[in-house]
Amino acid sequence: MSVPQYRKAAAIALVAGLGLSLTACSTKSDDAAKDASGKVTITVDCQPVGAQKELLKNWNDDVVEFQKQNPNIVIKSVSVGEQCNNPPDFTARLAGGTVTDVFYGYMTDLQQVLDSGQAMDITEYVNKDTIPTWDSVDPALKGVFTDGGKLYAVPVKNYSMGLVYNKVLFQRAGLDVNNPPKTWAEVRAAAKKISALGNGIAGYSEYSAGNTGGWHFTSLLYSQGGQVLTEDGKKADFNNAMGKQVLQNLKDMRYGDNSMGSRQLLQWGDLLTNAGAGKVGMFIGAPDATQAIVSQFQGKFQDWAMGPLPGQDGAAKATLGGGEGYFFKKGLTPEQVKAGLKWIAYQKLTPGKGQFDYVRAKPQNYPVGLPQPLLFANGSDAQKKEVELRKANANVDTANFAIFEANPVPIKGEPRNAQAIYAVLDAAMSGVLTNPNANIDALLKTAEEKVNQLLATAS
Amino acid sequence: MAITTVPGTTRQPGRPEPPYPSSRRRTSLGRKVRDNLTGHTFLIGALVCFAVFSWYPMVRGIVMSFQRTRRGETTWVGWDNYTRIIDDPSFWTAWKNTFYFTFLALVLGYAVPFFVAILLNEFRHARGYLRILVYLPVMLPPASALFLFKFYAYDPSEAGLFNAILAALHLPTSEWMQSPGMTMPAMVLASTWMNMGSAVLIYLAALQNIPGELYEAAELDGAGIWRRIRHVTIPQTRLILALLAMMQIVATMQLFIEPLILANGAGTGDSATSVAYLIYQHGFFQNDLNGAAALGVIMLIVLAGFSAVYVRLTAKQD
């Protein structure tokens, strides 16, 4: 059979093109860690995306300035979209081995990162020489990223939860904006008054999907003095009177008082969308929730204030603390690790620079004055400097957070395998928020079985 | 059955002569490849694509289902992942939900397009416009269509589209995706609306291949519309019906995007958890890629069973 030449050529071109495109898909970096001129290159993720124009400009300015100060280091920034705040994306990149040299992770991610075998032990590299403010960083946060005495990440942000409330709705409902509820009974009473305003307003709103339900269950459990896991971390410890009380409070508000609105199965953005639209009276969250309401969901800073996390009968016994840090990919050269630490020190851990450059952030309307990130230990030099700069440049009303700051609740860290446990606990939260006949005992028992199983798997 | 020209064997009676002379069939492999160079070259491209994007991940998934990775160390654990995944309290719930969805999808998503196609086939005017109308939802990206249902149609408040209609008709309203009993029917309803157009077009093509004389003969015998459907339409389209039923089963058992978008994942309790969503949850939320792989293999075996039936039916049709 004679084959016309042009068809042969087309076929060969097709195969060659396919081969080339497959080669192009390869994720292996072709950047040498150190080039001929002796420059060290590191890739770093979480560069703001194009839509975040000012944040992106700030990031790029920081890169230029840092490289000017460190001419031997080249920072290659990578924008990975949702990866920096989306557990499934993060898991996919981790499993696929496509994380950057220096990569972002939640404080809850240590176990997962260690399991993947991708994290480097950076204990010997982290000190005052590589990070000048290292001695000021809260030791508890260093502990979160430490396993078996080895440090695997540098903490760069920390938060704790409180009661976020809408001052406008408080006023309309005849509540005292300077005296937010301190117990769950008071939350319930206030929620009833706010929801009585009608027009689809929820007095109190709560998550129950996308891991956020389990996250908040944990915080509410801590407020009662409970814990998600036993002290040795080997068994679930929420199927008890405190766990039941957490779910009972919510069930009472949802179906006893009808003060939680009709739409449930909410994830992070769902609740904040409703809040931005002025349809939520109260919810529990970290101070940066108000920032998201303003920057992403068209809300106003002046409408929102924060109080401490309510307790069952008095002050909350503890509140959930969490945050984020940067890991280092296994296999980096010592020069790359040191370069990465220098960059993090500059962009994340130096008062007056990077994320703490309040002079730059103020005119950009990027909120300055929120009581976080709580990175530096109380009374440390870095903390004093950071607080001083924050107060001098505040562009949000710090009085809105004064009650929260004046009534600190002890911070308790997230449990081991937190994201997996939160996923399981979502079902218990959605159960009481969407089913008036939900059996709380059965929901907790099922969740307990699942968590025990996943802990057995993880051990 | 292959036809052979090897000496000593006899050709089966009634079989046609082979299309090529026997000498051609004995040509070497290299000659055959050279003769069909263009075809083989194109084939290589397709094979490489399948190998890289379909077969390798599948084989890798099967291997992973017998392994466990901890601290970067991978060990062989035999059937451990399988026993563990079967012990997961959500395992049987997910299968029950998936089969329930498939059953509802067969009742609703399979029958409705068939009757819509019959109706369209009966129209003499404006058939083209009606076809476009029916096909339009297929052109919407599934995520957009599902968000429309989630935020407008299934809004549990009285402002929701369906609840407003029910209220106007003085019927009880529903909480739709938040009501455990309504989760699956609501997902099937949305899925049927989204996917009906393609099935309708296939049915229409089959209906239009039925000889008009059969209907004329049936009418002469006094058959009404239902008897014509029963005795002419259904027998004449039975193979297409069987094939689409099988495709519907295989497709609906991979239920994933509906729970993910409409129910934000698991829904109320585990009411929306499908097998595919459970795989996603194990893999990407519970940091258990090996368990997810084991569940994926179990699903593969079940779907392969249905696919085998599908292949048999296809062969019969050929």
Side-chain angles (χ1 to χ4, degrees):
Chain A
M1 189 173 75
S2 159
V3 179
Q5 289 305 310
Y6 72 89
R7 286 175 64 192
K8 272 188 193 172
I12 290 163
L14 177 80
V15 174
L18 184 75
L20 281 174
S21 31
L22 285 175
T23 313
C25 284
S26 162
T27 53
K28 189 170 166 30
S29 168
D30 55 0
D31 299 315
K34 202 170 186 179
D35 66 15
S37 61
K39 287 192 174 183
V40 178
T41 300
I42 50 162
T43 53
V44 183
D45 62 6
C46 294
Q47 178 193 37
V49 293
Q52 299 168 304
K53 282 182 188 155
E54 281 181 334
L55 288 179
L56 179 60
K57 185 180 177 303
N58 293 349
W59 174 285
N60 289 335
D61 289 349
D62 284 349
V63 170
V64 169
E65 179 59 29
F66 176 78
Q67 291 183 153
K68 204 192 287 177
Q69 290 179 19
N70 299 276
N72 291 330
I73 299 174
V74 176
I75 302 286
K76 282 199 157 188
S77 313
V78 178
S79 206
V80 287
E82 288 287 303
Q83 183 257 333
C84 290
N85 54 22
N86 190 325
D89 284 6
F90 178 70
T91 303
R93 289 175 65 79
L94 203 58
T98 57
V99 287
T100 47
D101 295 338
V102 180
F103 63 99
Y104 168 101
Y106 287 158
M107 284 186 177
T108 52
D109 291 333
L110 177 65
Q111 202 61 40
Q112 182 181 6
V113 175
L114 291 179
D115 281 349
S116 76
Q118 303 232 18
M120 192 170 177
D121 169 11
I122 54 170
T123 318
E124 63 174 297
Y125 299 103
V126 185
N127 48 48
K128 273 188 81 172
D129 294 336
T130 48
I131 300 178
T133 56
W134 186 242
D135 290 348
S136 295
V137 173
D138 191 334
L141 305 182
K142 296 175 186 173
V144 172
F145 286 122
T146 303
D147 186 90
K150 294 173 180 171
L151 183 73
Y152 288 94
V154 178
V156 297
K157 197 172 177 184
N158 182 34
Y159 69 82
S160 71
M161 314 270 264
L163 183 77
V164 184
Y165 60 98
N166 185 316
K167 285 164 59 180
V168 176
L169 293 179
F170 258 53
Q171 277 164 342
R172 283 178 55 200
L175 296 162
D176 181 0
V177 292
N178 297 314
N179 189 23
K182 295 179 188 65
T183 64
W184 283 100
E186 289 177 19
V187 170
R188 192 174 166 182
K192 270 199 256 187
K193 288 184 180 169
I194 296 168
S195 61
L197 295 170
N199 200 23
I201 292 169
Y204 177 81
S205 200
E206 190 52 276
Y207 296 119
S208 52
N211 291 18
T212 54
W215 172 46
H216 272 201
F217 175 89
T218 303
S219 189
L220 299 175
L221 189 65
Y222 286 179
S223 78
Q224 308 244 357
Q227 55 186 7
V228 172
L229 301 182
T230 50
E231 291 301 333
D232 60 7
K234 290 183 176 167
K235 292 276 179 194
D237 191 22
F238 51 76
N239 185 11
N240 50 35
M242 284 182 276
K244 282 173 196 166
Q245 188 63 64
V246 167
L247 295 184
Q248 192 63 50
N249 286 341
L250 294 171
K251 193 177 174 190
D252 288 345
M253 280 197 282
R254 169 74 173 103
Y255 289 106
D257 307 339
N258 286 322
S259 62
M260 291 185 67
S262 56
R263 212 181 129 223
Q264 299 300 327
L265 297 178
L266 304 176
Q267 303 189 89
W268 185 81
D270 301 327
L271 193 157
L272 298 185
T273 304
N274 294 346
K279 301 281 186 190
V280 175
M282 296 174 284
F283 65 97
I284 64 164
D288 68 349
T290 56
Q291 180 186 324
I293 289 172
V294 175
S295 61
Q296 294 181 47
F297 303 104
Q298 285 82 48
K300 294 176 192 160
F301 267 118
Q302 61 267 32
D303 291 353
W304 294 92
M306 268 191 85
L309 190 69
Q312 187 57 33
D313 303 312
K317 296 196 170 65
T319 180
L320 180 71
E324 55 207 54
Y326 271 94
F327 292 88
F328 288 71
K329 192 176 184 178
K330 206 173 240 178
L332 296 183
T333 63
E335 287 81 13
Q336 282 181 299
V337 176
K338 285 175 194 163
L341 289 171
K342 262 191 169 180
W343 162 250
I344 289 170
Y346 178 84
Q347 229 260 339
K348 305 288 183 188
L349 291 170
T350 304
K353 300 283 181 197
Q355 69 167 337
F356 295 121
D357 191 343
Y358 298 136
V359 175
R360 176 175 69 185
K362 187 181 177 181
Q364 294 174 338
N365 288 324
Y366 192 71
V368 181
L370 300 179
Q372 68 169 35
L374 304 159
L375 263 176
F376 302 116
N378 233 345
S380 65
D381 290 346
Q383 190 230 18
K384 284 179 196 159
K385 204 170 172 189
E386 191 265 324
V387 169
E388 207 173 281
L389 279 167
R390 188 200 302 167
K391 286 191 173 158
N393 294 285
N395 58 8
V396 298
D397 188 355
T398 50
N400 286 341
F401 300 92
I403 302 170
F404 174 72
E405 283 193 287
N407 297 278
V409 173
I411 297 174
K412 192 171 163 69
E414 297 182 86
R416 191 165 68 93
N417 294 299
Q419 293 297 339
I421 291 170
Y422 294 164
V424 171
L425 288 168
D426 270 356
M429 293 289 272
S430 66
V432 291
L433 294 176
T434 60
N435 181 6
N437 303 315
N439 181 335
I440 290 175
D441 289 337
L443 288 170
L444 285 173
K445 188 169 180 292
T446 306
E448 182 186 32
E449 282 172 24
K450 285 187 178 184
V451 168
N452 283 340
Q453 195 199 31
L454 77 85
L455 289 173
T457 308
S459 60
Chain B
M1 183 177 166
I3 299 166
T4 175
T5 56
V6 176
T9 58
T10 50
R11 191 177 306 289
Q12 286 189 357
R15 289 279 181 177
E17 284 297 315
Y20 303 109
S22 58
S23 61
R24 179 154 182 128
R25 307 202 119 250
R26 281 198 293 267
T27 51
S28 67
L29 182 68
R31 173 77 189 275
K32 282 182 188 170
V33 171
R34 274 199 303 280
D35 283 354
N36 297 291
L37 183 63
T38 310
H40 281 104
T41 316
F42 276 105
L43 190 64
I44 287 168
L47 287 177
V48 169
C49 280
F50 273 116
V52 172
F53 297 111
S54 290
W55 301 330
Y56 171 71
M58 202 181 283
V59 172
R60 185 86 182 88
I62 294 169
V63 171
M64 275 176 69
S65 73
F66 294 102
Q67 296 176 327
R68 190 165 300 163
T69 303
R70 289 284 170 270
R71 304 257 165 174
E73 300 281 320
T74 299
T75 49
W76 292 93
V77 293
W79 296 98
D80 274 12
N81 293 321
Y82 288 88
T83 50
R84 187 165 52 74
I85 213 81
I86 291 169
D87 284 342
D88 181 338
S90 295
F91 179 81
W92 294 111
T93 311
W95 277 107
K96 196 181 81 185
N97 287 343
T98 304
F99 276 112
Y100 182 39
F101 180 87
T102 303
F103 168 74
L104 288 176
L106 274 180
V107 172
L108 190 69
Y110 177 61
V112 170
F114 184 60
F115 286 105
V116 170
I118 290 174
L119 281 177
L120 282 183
N121 199 37
E122 294 296 316
F123 278 104
R124 292 286 175 267
H125 304 289
R127 193 190 282 174
Y129 293 110
L130 291 171
R131 270 188 223 174
I132 290 171
L133 274 183
V134 171
Y135 196 72
L136 265 180
V138 179
M139 287 155 46
L140 268 180
S144 312
L146 290 170
F147 275 117
L148 274 178
F149 272 88
K150 180 178 175 176
F151 291 115
Y152 295 103
Y154 291 154
D155 185 332
S157 72
E158 287 174 3
L161 175 68
F162 288 175
N163 276 351
I165 294 170
L166 290 171
L169 297 171
H170 302 289
L171 292 169
T173 56
S174 168
E175 289 208 327
W176 300 103
M177 295 309 298
Q178 291 175 197
S179 162
M182 277 305 295
T183 304
M184 283 293 154
M187 287 203 295
V188 169
L189 190 64
S191 174
T192 303
W193 180 80
M194 278 163 44
N195 301 311
M196 189 171 70
S198 306
V200 168
L201 286 192
I202 294 171
Y203 287 136
L204 257 181
L207 290 173
Q208 285 168 3
N209 278 337
I210 301 174
E213 300 84 41
L214 294 178
Y215 287 109
E216 285 166 20
E219 277 178 36
L220 284 175
D221 288 343
I225 182 161
W226 292 114
R227 290 188 69 187
R228 289 204 301 275
I229 289 173
R230 191 179 153 199
H231 294 292
V232 180
T233 310
I234 291 177
Q236 287 291 317
T237 54
R238 69 181 190 285
L239 268 175
I240 287 286
L241 285 172
L243 287 180
L244 280 181
M246 210 47 68
M247 285 171 72
Q248 178 91 338
I249 290 171
V250 173
T252 53
M253 285 197 69
Q254 297 175 52
L255 170 71
F256 177 71
I257 190 168
E258 286 87 353
L260 188 72
I261 291 179
L262 286 177
N264 274 356
T268 296
D270 262 339
S271 64
T273 301
S274 65
V275 178
Y277 182 75
L278 194 61
I279 293 173
Y280 175 68
Q281 201 179 43
H282 271 276
F284 295 102
F285 282 114
Q286 297 188 10
N287 186 28
D288 178 20
L289 287 167
N290 301 110
L295 185 51
V297 172
I298 295 172
M299 193 179 184
L300 175 76
I301 291 166
V302 173
L303 289 184
F306 285 111
S307 300
V309 177
Y310 169 72
V311 168
R312 273 185 71 93
L313 285 168
T314 320
K316 211 184 246 181
Q317 191 189 35
D318 290 342

